[in-house]
Amino acid sequence: MLKHILTSLTGGPVTEPAPAPADPALAELAGKLDKAAKARLGRSLSIREVDAGSCNGCELEIHALNNPIYDLERFGIRFVASPRHADVLLVTGPVAHNMREALVRTWDATPDPKWVVACGDCAVGGGLFTGGYACVGPVEEVLPVDLRIPGCPPRPVDLLAGLLALLETSAAT
């Protein structure tokens, strides 16, 4: 035991290396997303994340969008606490029976124009929970879905690219 204590005291902390400086491609993608939001909405994009019964893998990647590496706030894209302030409902996980009504109420409280994004394999197709006794199924069985972002979990860059595609395709229609 003394050997382990001595090693930890003299060896320094065991951490991951610092991330590389900001990726120019990431900054360009986020900048395009902000420009598309301002062109489509006249303001920045507001996102309300709803966990409809997930394992929290997708939430970890969504929360990474707010960390210093991605830092969506610098582009004016923000997560909001109330659906009344949201443009996008970002739904993760298969819809559990207990969350169905809450998800529909969140949809009803979101002002127009509004979009629903199914984030992750479970939200897109039910994933591993398909046919389970506690699940209604994928998000599209409860709400109309405008964009599906597959992955278990999807990477933050995929989330950004999906939101950009959503804004560009909705602006074209």
Side-chain angles (χ1 to χ4, degrees), residues 15 18 33 36 40 60-61 63 86 100 124:
T15 61
L33 180 59
R40 176 73 171 111
L60 291 173
E61 299 299 312
H63 290 294
R100 180 186 183 117
V124 171

Side-chain angles (χ1 to χ4, degrees), residues 84 87 102 104:
R84 298 187 193 288
D87 304 308
V104 171

Side-chain angles (χ1 to χ4, degrees), residues 15-173:
T15 61
E16 293 183 15
D23 183 10
L26 177 64
E28 181 182 352
L29 178 63
K32 283 182 181 177
L33 180 59
D34 186 44
K35 286 179 187 171
K38 287 184 178 166
R40 176 73 171 111
L41 301 168
R43 58 183 164 72
S44 297
L45 186 67
S46 298
I47 303 169
R48 171 70 173 134
E49 192 271 326
V50 179
D51 179 353
S54 76
C55 69
N56 290 344
C58 294
E59 280 77 14
L60 291 173
E61 299 299 312
I62 291 168
H63 290 294
L65 290 172
N66 280 328
N67 73 19
I69 296 172
Y70 297 98
D71 192 17
L72 283 185
E73 289 283 336
R74 68 183 160 157
F75 301 108
I77 302 162
R78 60 196 171 103
F79 287 90
V80 294
S82 171
R84 298 187 193 288
H85 303 139
D87 304 308
V88 174
L89 293 180
L90 187 62
V91 185
T92 61
V95 180
H97 286 291
N98 293 342
M99 283 298 294
R100 180 186 183 117
E101 183 180 347
L103 186 58
V104 171
R105 285 184 179 191
T106 302
W107 163 261
D108 290 339
T110 306
D112 289 327
K114 57 187 167 188
W115 299 282
V116 175
V117 176
C119 175
D121 289 342
C122 294
V124 171
L128 140 93
F129 303 101
T130 303
Y133 69 92
C135 288
V136 174
V139 177
E140 65 186 10
E141 289 188 19
V142 179
L143 299 177
V145 174
D146 299 297
L147 175 69
R148 293 160 188 81
I149 303 175
C152 188
R155 298 175 309 142
V157 173
D158 296 335
L159 295 169
L160 285 175
L163 290 171
L164 178 61
L166 174 69
L167 288 170
E168 288 178 342
T169 56
S170 65
T173 58

